[in-house]
Amino acid sequence: MFFAPAIRTARFVPRSYDRSLERFVNEAFSGAQRSLNVEQDDKTWTLTLDVPGLSRDDLTIGIEGAVVRIESKAEAKRKFKAAYELPQDIDVAASEAKLENGVLTIKLGKLVPVSNVAQLAIN
């Protein structure tokens, strides 16, 4: 039985819950098992996954906040779709992707949080 609450609020539902259905569908109905390797250091995450049979022209990589989406284009010979949510927002300018021998390596820069604290004068 599948249950999804009708009302979603930030107070009631954590942010990761919004992506749980997408992760469930990706994992449950994917044709082949994906081998994903995630490594991190102080400034980057490195995602490595197998995408045999796909060329760099067949893939698109989208980054939105802390989510990276990898999809094959409609005209590709093989279908592929995956989404991964990281614990911190991604710096797109410091990110790069490389496809070599069917292995996709994505280096994602960590976005340094900016503090918007303003000083208030005391009268």
Side-chain angles (χ1 to χ4, degrees):
M1 175 180 239
F2 182 77
F3 171 77
I7 300 173
R8 290 187 182 180
T9 63
R11 189 181 68 199
F12 176 71
V13 180
R15 180 179 174 204
S16 62
Y17 184 79
D18 292 335
R19 305 262 186 250
S20 65
L21 178 63
E22 184 176 356
R23 276 187 294 235
F24 170 76
V25 171
N26 284 341
E27 291 171 5
F29 299 108
S30 64
Q33 293 289 357
R34 295 186 189 112
S35 62
L36 173 70
N37 185 21
V38 179
E39 299 174 359
Q40 74 171 343
D41 57 22
D42 293 340
K43 297 182 181 182
T44 61
W45 289 286
T46 304
L47 278 68
T48 307
L49 61 142
D50 295 334
V51 289
L54 292 171
S55 69
R56 69 179 59 123
D57 297 330
D58 294 337
L59 290 171
T60 61
I61 300 172
I63 297 173
E64 180 184 349
V67 178
V68 59
R69 286 185 173 81
I70 307 158
E71 295 183 57
S72 61
K73 294 182 180 175
E75 63 271 5
K77 298 177 207 169
R78 186 172 165 258
K79 301 296 178 206
F80 182 87
K81 186 175 183 179
Y84 303 102
E85 184 175 9
L86 299 169
Q88 188 177 348
D89 283 352
I90 300 166
D91 184 5
V92 178
S95 300
E96 62 182 27
K98 178 174 71 171
L99 180 64
E100 196 171 276
N101 297 327
V103 178
L104 180 64
T105 304
I106 306 171
K107 285 189 132 186
L108 302 168
K110 293 180 180 179
L111 190 64
V112 178
V114 177
S115 176
N116 293 332
V117 176
Q119 295 296 323
L120 183 63
I122 302 173
N123 294 329

